[in-house]
Amino acid sequence: MSTNKEAWGSRIGLILAMAGNAVGLGNFLRFPVQAVQNGGGAFIIPYLVCFVLMGIPILWIEWSMGRFGGKGGNHSTPFILDTMGKARFWKYFGVFGIFTNIAVASYYCYIESWTMSYVFHSISGTFTGMEQGAVADFFNTYLTIGKSTTGIPYEAVVFYVICLALNTYILSRGLKGVERAAKIGVPMLLIFGAFLAFRGLTLGTDGASAMHPDSNAWDGLNFLWTPQFDSLSNPTVWLAAAGQMFFTLSVGMGTVHCYASYIKSKDDIALNAVSAGFMNEFVEVVLGSLIVIPIAAGYLGIDWVKENAGFGMAFQTMPYLFDQWGSVISNLAGVFWFGLLFFAGITSSLAMGTPWMGFMQDEFSFSRKSAAWSFGLIILMFGLPTVLIYQVATNGVVDQIFFNEYDYWAGTMSLVVFATAEAVLFAWIFGMKRGWAELLSGSDMKVPVFFKYVMMYVTPLLLMAVFFGSLFLPQGGDWASAFSGLFSGNGWQLDNNSIILMLQNTGLKETMAAASNPEEIA
Ligand code: PHE
Ligand code: NA
């Protein structure tokens, strides 16, 4: 319980803040990569099904929980969950909703700081006339602590600290600061995104003759958008789709609860939740798929994209491709692209800061300023190892292994576990009758009754399927042979990425070993 009486200034402010929370680096860096790695059009159907059967219901659950908890003056998941379930367990479980944020924010803000630095380098024309390999190398040099690409030593650390300071400053202005950042950031990223998406759509075969004889931007779009129905029976694709859905909607982490706890008790949540959710999906499936993939396919060919799809593309390849557009346009494109990523990133990292702020203010009566500063310092402390690990590796490959590992635990698995628990809490412990009434109170839309049953049965069951699926992920994601192996008495062969094997574990150890010996996996 607290004396904190902050509330959102306006409905548009709330929707933009929630949309800004959801729209993030995940829409532009994670979605295209997940889609390509899971077969393009094969990914899209499970992904959209997950939106309807898990995404929307969980958004409604989290918005309802948040507004409900906020009525009692609670602004973070330990206390919000505590108001909904009597058992002490829930209060402690809610602590997840603080720590996952810290864990994710510490690497998320690091990537955000790269986007800042790349805006700077795009303006100053660093990439002008560089070879493709040199642009890629630039990234690795940038990440090497102590090195400098601008004359500032320790450049990556300096930008990281600037980025954290900016986050801290905005957070210290309270909800108003967050709301203002969203009102600037979200429209800006939409404008920048529209410009780049237009370019992606109209690029066609422009780049072809120069670089790759039969490259065509449309191949990228066709690859992403030609649905392949046989993927529906592939659990690995479903796992990836569900994981992306969670990450992109920012659910399962406590940020949505926290934002919703500042909604006035009589205001709508049903329609607002859907609006913010759809806005995120629009940015993801439309803008997110019209930029990196088609532009890269337009110059380098779709086969190159399939082989090289990865997180590094955004930093290692895009500046080089923009450079093909001629001096002013290419610098501008760089500013738009990294500026877009920056705005997308900061409106999300601010969201990761607010549960901590709420918790410190409610529980320890911290002032807004001290709460914000304590967040900045904690992220700096947790984030520095990330920065250091990056620099141990000089070839970028190890970085991505580390990231995948970290992203998997902090950014996917814990979200699924948290979301499963809260779906059960909401529908079965708080009770669906009360839950449904809570959602409908003040509602500006008719919520189809269908969703009541989805929330009770489908969402929790799907979530558990996702959880157990990743626990027992068979070798190579090949479920059919795993089952036939089981029935013919050969046991179940676990994949290295199954949680069970990861716990036993190879994953981190290998990463560390590889980090000290980069050539081995290069
Ligand atoms: N949804 C954000 C993105 O797509 C990431 C995020 C996750 C933000 C959880 C806040 C909380 O990048
Ligand atoms: Na998102």
Side-chain angles (χ1 to χ4, degrees):
M1 186 70 73
S2 78
T3 50
N4 182 349
K5 291 270 183 299
E6 284 186 282
W8 296 104
S10 65
R11 181 171 198 166
I12 188 75
L14 163 68
I15 294 183
L16 287 179
M18 279 283 199
N21 173 352
V23 174
L25 301 171
N27 298 50
F28 298 96
L29 304 182
R30 206 173 183 278
F31 172 77
V33 173
Q34 290 291 321
V36 171
Q37 286 176 348
N38 287 286
F43 183 73
I44 251 37
I45 301 168
Y47 175 84
L48 293 176
V49 173
C50 285
F51 179 57
V52 177
L53 296 183
M54 294 201 290
I56 297 268
I58 292 185
L59 280 177
W60 276 334
I61 289 176
E62 296 196 347
W63 281 66
S64 304
M65 288 176 130
R67 190 186 61 181
F68 180 80
K71 287 179 198 165
N74 302 295
H75 307 94
S76 63
T77 48
F79 299 112
I80 292 174
L81 296 200
D82 190 48
T83 60
M84 310 202 71
K86 292 217 171 54
R88 295 223 108 208
F89 166 79
W90 293 108
K91 190 168 183 172
Y92 296 113
F93 188 79
V95 172
F96 248 109
I98 306 273
F99 280 102
T100 322
N101 286 292
I102 304 282
V104 174
S106 47
Y107 71 85
Y108 202 88
C109 290
Y110 189 34
I111 308 178
E112 192 178 309
S113 76
W114 304 344
T115 67
M116 261 178 134
S117 130
Y118 269 64
V119 167
F120 172 83
H121 284 291
S122 303
I123 294 175
S124 62
T126 304
F127 306 113
T128 310
M130 261 194 193
E131 296 287 326
Q132 188 175 358
V135 175
D137 284 345
F138 177 87
F139 186 61
N140 301 324
T141 314
Y142 171 77
L143 295 178
T144 310
I145 294 195
K147 287 257 170 85
S148 158
T149 55
T150 47
I152 312 169
Y154 299 95
E155 192 180 328
V157 182
V158 170
F159 274 107
Y160 186 51
V161 172
I162 295 177
C163 181
L164 290 183
L166 187 60
N167 274 279
T168 303
Y169 171 74
I170 298 174
L171 284 173
S172 75
R173 310 301 303 238
L175 218 53
K176 285 209 171 49
V178 171
E179 197 169 333
R180 178 159 317 152
K183 280 184 171 166
I184 300 171
V186 175
M188 288 294 269
L189 82 86
L190 290 175
I191 295 170
F192 289 176
F195 169 86
L196 294 164
F198 177 76
R199 192 63 187 141
L201 263 177
T202 53
L203 186 62
T205 54
D206 282 6
S209 56
M211 243 176 260
H212 191 286
D214 40 48
S215 61
N216 185 342
W218 284 94
D219 289 346
L221 289 171
N222 284 333
F223 177 64
L224 283 181
W225 287 105
T226 311
Q228 288 156 34
F229 291 93
D230 51 351
S231 68
L232 289 175
S233 60
N234 184 345
T236 312
V237 175
W238 280 95
L239 287 183
Q244 176 59 21
M245 189 48 70
F246 280 104
F247 191 82
T248 192
L249 290 177
S250 303
V251 294
M253 258 177 55
T255 61
V256 174
H257 309 73
C258 176
Y259 274 17
S261 72
Y262 297 102
I263 298 174
K264 298 187 195 95
S265 58
K266 298 206 171 47
D267 285 353
D268 161 272
I269 47 179
L271 182 61
N272 285 344
V274 175
S275 314
F278 267 97
M279 205 148 154
N280 179 67
E281 288 318 293
F282 169 79
V283 174
E284 181 145 304
V285 300
V286 180
L287 298 185
S289 61
L290 282 176
I291 303 174
V292 181
I293 306 295
I295 293 178
Y299 283 102
L300 304 163
I302 186 70
D303 291 332
W304 185 92
V305 172
K306 285 186 203 164
E307 267 161 44
N308 293 283
F311 169 85
M313 253 176 2
F315 297 92
Q316 296 179 313
T317 316
M318 295 311 278
Y320 170 68
L321 300 180
F322 294 151
D323 196 35
Q324 312 308 312
W325 299 348
S327 60
V328 179
I329 301 278
S330 62
N331 289 9
L332 209 60
V335 173
F336 280 13
W337 171 237
F338 294 109
L340 165 158
L341 291 177
F342 174 72
F343 286 123
I346 194 162
T347 48
S348 294
S349 58
L350 290 171
M352 296 176 203
T354 46
W356 173 270
M357 299 268 298
F359 185 73
M360 296 317 267
Q361 288 171 279
D362 292 356
E363 175 70 2
F364 300 109
S365 317
F366 269 43
S367 70
R368 238 167 33 202
K369 262 211 180 97
S370 343
W373 277 98
S374 63
F375 177 74
L377 287 176
I378 285 208
I379 298 301
L380 184 64
M381 230 172 60
F382 274 84
L384 280 180
T386 319
V387 177
L388 290 174
I389 295 253
Y390 260 85
Q391 85 111 23
V392 172
T394 47
N395 63 359
V397 178
V398 176
D399 308 345
Q400 295 190 18
I401 294 182
F402 174 76
F403 245 173
N404 289 341
E405 192 91 17
Y406 204 89
D407 177 64
Y408 184 78
W409 287 106
T412 308
M413 229 27 245
S414 38
L415 310 194
V416 175
V417 172
F418 194 88
T420 313
E422 69 186 3
V424 171
L425 172 63
F426 187 78
W428 296 96
I429 295 173
F430 186 67
M432 199 59 228
K433 224 174 143 186
R434 286 169 78 195
W436 191 249
E438 187 59 38
L439 172 65
L440 293 192
S441 126
S443 166
D444 286 334
M445 72 177 276
K446 281 216 161 59
V447 185
V449 193
F450 163 75
F451 276 104
K452 190 169 170 178
Y453 299 97
V454 172
M455 280 180 190
M456 278 180 90
Y457 304 104
V458 183
T459 311
L461 285 176
L462 270 180
L463 280 162
M464 286 180 208
V466 169
F467 177 68
F468 287 109
S470 43
L471 214 51
F472 297 108
L473 185 71
Q475 206 158 52
D478 186 349
W479 295 77
S481 7
F483 274 110
S484 72
L486 188 66
F487 293 127
S488 58
N490 294 328
W492 184 270
Q493 299 300 320
L494 288 171
D495 191 83
N496 277 336
N497 284 320
S498 71
I499 307 230
I500 293 190
L501 273 197
M502 281 171 76
L503 281 176
Q504 280 180 3
N505 196 307
T506 50
L508 261 185
K509 269 190 240 141
E510 265 169 21
T511 309
M512 299 313 280
S516 53
N517 194 359
E519 306 84 70
E520 219 153 74
I521 53 164

